Amino acid sequence: VIGEDGLPVTDMNGKAIMEYCIRGVFGPTKDSYWSAVDYDQLQLRIFAYWSKEPSLIQAFEQGFDFHTYMAMRIFETDSPTSLQRRRAKNVNFGYIFGAGPAKIDSTAGVPGLTARVSKMFPNVQESIDKTIEQINKKGYVMTMGGYRLSVPRYKKYAGVNYIVQGTEGEIVKRALVNIDSYLESIEYNTELILQIHDEFLFEFSKTLKYKPVIRNIKKIMEEAGNYYGVICKAKPDLIKDNWASAESLAV
């Protein structure tokens, strides 16, 4: 494991901490392949479309990696370093998970960052303020699908997170139901064997002409987001050996 200073991270005894990918333990049988299809930065997309912030929506529509885009804006550079991107990632999720201004500024290492971001993205700050106001008045928030979620007033800082994760749940569940109906309707033996957050894992025979099936699954997943007003992108991988050696699949 490499730290922010570019040097190996060590334990209390000075021994380098090794990173191990548990996915390398799992893989398809010799007669089958797996395909993992996951949403691209789903929570961040929900946050952008929920807040109706034009520049954030445009960043997604132009194909930016969102954390890189935010690093470019925060650190005022066209070529952010990996450390700057990592800090921008912490800032992005800080907003979603309800970190306060002091925490966000400290995480990014940029004093006064929260005030600057509020001016960069006024719709974001307005949406957050309205969410806190609604919690104070009514004690709940609404997902983008219209589902009411109670939020304790002492946890109003978490209101945005309730909305984002609640909407993510709506999108994923809609995708699951529609994928199940689709797989029931086709003659090929393709099974959904696992769901982890916003990633779905499928198993199918090596003899299957799998690209049309995966293409339709990808379409169903993206349409589930569109239903709730979130323009989504799903990315399929093909797994021939083990889960850690997945290869990007163009369909």
Side-chain angles (χ1 to χ4, degrees):
V1 178
I2 305 300
E4 291 190 356
D5 56 3
L7 300 174
V9 177
T10 59
D11 60 20
M12 295 178 64
N13 299 315
K15 185 178 180 180
I17 297 173
M18 305 301 292
E19 186 174 82
Y20 179 72
C21 183
I22 192 67
R23 293 189 178 209
V25 176
F26 304 99
T29 66
K30 63 179 182 179
D31 298 320
S32 63
Y33 287 150
W34 285 358
S35 179
V37 190
D38 71 329
Y39 282 103
D40 177 55
Q41 302 182 103
L42 181 55
Q43 290 190 0
L44 295 166
R45 287 176 183 269
I46 292 168
F47 182 75
Y49 284 95
W50 164 75
S51 66
K52 298 182 173 64
E53 180 57 57
S55 56
L56 300 185
I57 293 171
Q58 186 178 39
F60 279 120
E61 291 177 346
Q62 292 178 347
F64 275 97
D65 170 84
F66 192 75
H67 300 312
T68 300
Y69 171 79
M70 286 297 290
M72 291 167 62
R73 296 294 302 272
I74 290 171
F75 297 104
E76 300 179 340
T77 175
D78 292 332
S79 302
T81 65
S82 59
L83 176 57
Q84 288 173 330
R85 183 188 179 277
R86 193 154 56 244
R87 287 181 171 175
K89 179 178 180 179
N90 290 337
V91 169
N92 295 337
F93 285 109
Y95 273 96
I96 290 175
F97 288 104
K103 179 66 174 178
I104 291 174
D105 291 2
S106 173
T107 299
V110 181
L113 174 65
T114 309
R116 215 156 41 85
V117 169
S118 296
K119 292 180 180 178
M120 285 183 202
F121 310 110
N123 282 22
V124 168
Q125 192 58 52
E126 182 182 352
S127 297
I128 292 172
D129 291 343
K130 285 182 177 178
T131 298
I132 292 174
E133 182 181 352
Q134 174 160 334
I135 295 169
N136 282 331
K137 288 182 177 179
K138 300 182 178 180
Y140 66 83
V141 294
M142 302 283 282
T143 66
M144 293 180 71
Y147 190 81
R148 181 184 296 186
L149 295 171
S150 297
V151 183
R153 287 177 174 81
Y154 68 87
K155 287 184 66 176
K156 57 190 175 188
Y157 62 87
V160 173
N161 187 34
Y162 277 52
I163 295 169
V164 170
Q165 295 213 36
T167 302
E168 179 183 37
E170 290 174 321
I171 292 171
V172 169
K173 288 170 186 173
R174 184 174 184 84
L176 280 170
V177 169
N178 291 343
I179 287 170
D180 182 67
S181 297
Y182 167 66
L183 295 180
E184 287 282 335
S185 71
I186 61 176
E187 59 185 88
Y188 303 113
N189 184 20
T190 305
E191 294 185 56
L192 172 63
I193 57 174
L194 189 64
Q195 176 226 335
I196 302 177
H197 301 298
D198 60 0
E199 180 179 9
F200 303 152
L201 187 65
F202 302 89
E203 183 174 54
F204 48 85
S205 168
K206 286 183 178 180
T207 61
L208 173 67
K209 293 181 179 180
Y210 53 83
K211 282 195 174 183
V213 175
I214 303 304
R215 186 185 306 123
N216 286 331
I217 289 172
K218 177 179 183 292
K219 181 181 178 183
I220 289 169
M221 290 173 64
E222 292 172 345
E223 287 177 345
N226 296 346
Y227 181 86
Y228 295 102
V230 180
I231 307 305
C232 294
K233 181 179 179 182
K235 302 185 299 181
D237 289 334
L238 183 65
I239 301 163
K240 297 179 179 180
D241 182 19
N242 65 71
W243 201 354
S245 61
E247 305 168 4
S248 179
L249 178 63
V251 294

